[in-house]
Amino acid sequence: MSGTTTPAVAIPGQTARGAGTGAPKSTASPWWADAAAVVGGGVLVALHGSRLGQWVVDDAAITFAYARSIDEGLGPVQQAGAAPVEGYSNPAWLALLVAGRRLGLFDHRALFGVPDLVLYPKALGLLCVLGTLAAVACAARRLVARSWWVTALAGVLLGANVSFVAWTFSGLENPLYACVATALAAVLVRAVAAGNLLGTGPAVASGLLALVAALTRPDGAVLAGVYPLLLLLTSRRTEPGRAELWPRTRAAALGTAAFAVPYALFLVWRLAVFGRLVPNTAVAKSQELPDAELFTRTTGELLTFAGWPAVLVAAALVGVALTRRGMPRTALAAVVLPLALTLCAYGVLEPDWMGMHRFATPVWPLGALALAVAAVGLAERGGPRPRAAVAVALSTTLLLSWSAQRESAAAFRAEPTLPMCLVVNRDGVVFNTYADRLDIADGSVLLPSLGGTLLTSDLKVYDLAGLTEPRIADALSAGDTEGLRAYAFRELRPTFIHAVGVWARKTGMTAPRLTAEGYLPLYRTADGGGDWVRADAVRHPERLGPLRAWADRVIPAAYESGRNRCGGVLRPGRAAVRPSDRPTH
């Protein structure tokens, strides 16, 4: 038996010649029709994304700061002089940012007034969207005659989905995860259709794609189970003979090894460098073991967001396609499996504070692919009445899904999740000015909004949310707020503290406690939080009054007008605030 190829295996729902699961090659859409559908879908997604302006979520800027440090030879640290901490959870995305910076495409300049800190990750996001739609087209060409219909429908579904669009252009790793998950489905669909599911190529490719997914997001590791599960699903119903059992066992082992061996080496490196087997971010977020109640609630919220009527219509079409003779049932299962696993992974994750179902990004293109293939496949294999029924079902699905998301989309565009520029203007610039006005050198700041601060702060930055502070992450995970405060006040002793809202309450950094620990208020918020400075660091008390007046004027303005613009190039000490807003000595 060859080590690289295997004979076509008879699979339920698949003809002996393998490729018979889809349309004959002579009836397939011309390549240019699929290419046009890919580009058209990308344009729709880009147009929707352009309505978010220059918004990049602040958590993405944490990875930006790590990319800067790595490219400058400082190692995986949040800023110069800091200890190595895995304050990111997306090493594959980080690698793309580092490459962009090394090539001069990222963190160097502004183009037409837009910083490349915004342009480059958004461009990467668009490239990933095109890759996702190209994977859809590659899968569809093996399943239906009019594959461009599938690609076009998937593009419309994704372009109308505010969750997919928002997190694609957020600066985070979401579009890469979606692209890799869809590419995995396409590889397996084509392998099933060609009768080569047990071949070396599909086995290794599935393992490596799952590896990239796991290095893009920790929950991406769930995709390592797709290939072995598909092999199990496609095994004969009768007791398999030795001739079939060995190729399946070999293929499963090969695919698993392609994922597990390099991932194990990565875990060894992580343990050696950071002293943890999981990212520090996972500890800070207190992810717990899977819980049935959490899964039901989380997935229910996701399906409600998509619109229950639309979900039911889509499920009905896919269900009919999976049970109808003449449909490429096994190949369609190669799409449904990663869809089900990513949906399960989303369901067991702790709810994300950023909202808009951030962790569900790969669910959308996989769901769009499954729905589009089922609908087009049924339409092609049915008569006029079934085609009309499918057309009505699709139109209804699109309308109901759009209606369900319209209000959420408008609210998100009006006030997107914590913009990087808001943090730059509110925290980076403001605390630089505090230190400058009070003549504080070698100061430090403890605060929960990290990304924009790291890119612009002259101060040593400590993370109150624990993403880049292992001791704080451990305390938050254990619910030890007293231990957190003891560590902050006795060991870190930050010069400045910023704690408002939920973080002031969650960590106990309230006005009475800060006052008792010797901190003076610089800016107060209605909820009792605000900005504080350690009293023994203030050598010119007479400057506090004018500085407070300045903060009372500038900080509200940052919330009103500083969300989308913060200068062309962000560097420590380079203020985005107007010089006239700086207090004078």
Side-chain angles (χ1 to χ4, degrees), residues 165-185:
V165 171
W167 296 116
T168 289
F169 297 112
S170 66
L172 287 168
E173 69 284 349
N174 298 62
L176 179 60
Y177 185 17
C179 182
V180 172
T182 312
L184 174 59

Side-chain angles (χ1 to χ4, degrees), residues 37 42 89 115 149 209 214 226 246 397 437 467 483 487-488 517 520 582:
S89 57
W149 284 13
L209 286 169
V226 172
W246 163 243
T397 296
R437 179 64 181 90
L467 299 180
Y487 171 65
E517 294 291 344
L520 303 174
R582 283 181 171 270

Side-chain angles (χ1 to χ4, degrees), residues 83-141:
V85 177
E86 195 175 6
Y88 54 89
S89 57
N90 49 6
W93 184 251
L94 173 62
L96 293 179
L97 298 179
V98 173
R101 197 176 194 276
R102 181 58 55 90
L103 293 171
L105 302 174
F106 178 64
D107 195 24
H108 283 295
R109 63 184 63 83
L111 297 175
F112 307 107
V114 182
D116 56 10
L117 278 167
V118 172
L119 285 175
Y120 180 73
K122 287 182 180 286
L124 282 182
L126 182 57
L127 287 176
C128 288
V129 169
L130 295 175
T132 298
L133 292 173
V136 168
C138 287
R141 288 182 71 82

Side-chain angles (χ1 to χ4, degrees), residues 447-461:
L447 76 179
S449 302
L450 199 62
T453 306
L454 288 173
L455 293 174
T456 54
S457 184
D458 295 323
L459 307 169
K460 186 172 184 178
V461 179

Side-chain angles (χ1 to χ4, degrees), residues 10-97:
I11 295 173
Q14 178 176 340
T15 66
R17 65 189 180 95
T21 57
K25 191 173 182 64
S26 61
T27 64
S29 301
W31 68 266
W32 54 263
D34 286 301
V38 168
V39 172
V43 169
L44 285 177
V45 174
L47 287 175
H48 192 173
S50 67
R51 301 183 69 180
L52 295 169
Q54 295 187 29
W55 170 74
V56 167
V57 71
D58 185 64
D59 268 37
I62 300 175
T63 310
F64 297 175
Y66 273 92
R68 175 185 291 178
S69 294
I70 292 171
D71 186 51
E72 292 179 350
L74 303 176
V77 298
Q78 64 173 7
Q79 61 181 160
V85 177
E86 195 175 6
Y88 54 89
S89 57
N90 49 6
W93 184 251
L94 173 62
L96 293 179
L97 298 179

Side-chain angles (χ1 to χ4, degrees), residues 353-354 418 448-449 464-465 476 481 484-485 498-510 525-530:
W353 68 271
M354 295 188 203
L418 192 58
S449 302
L464 185 59
L476 289 172
T481 56
L484 184 155
R485 291 189 294 270
H498 167 67
V500 297
V502 65
W503 285 107
R505 297 188 297 272
K506 186 174 182 178
T507 62
M509 296 286 182
T510 58
T525 58
D527 59 11

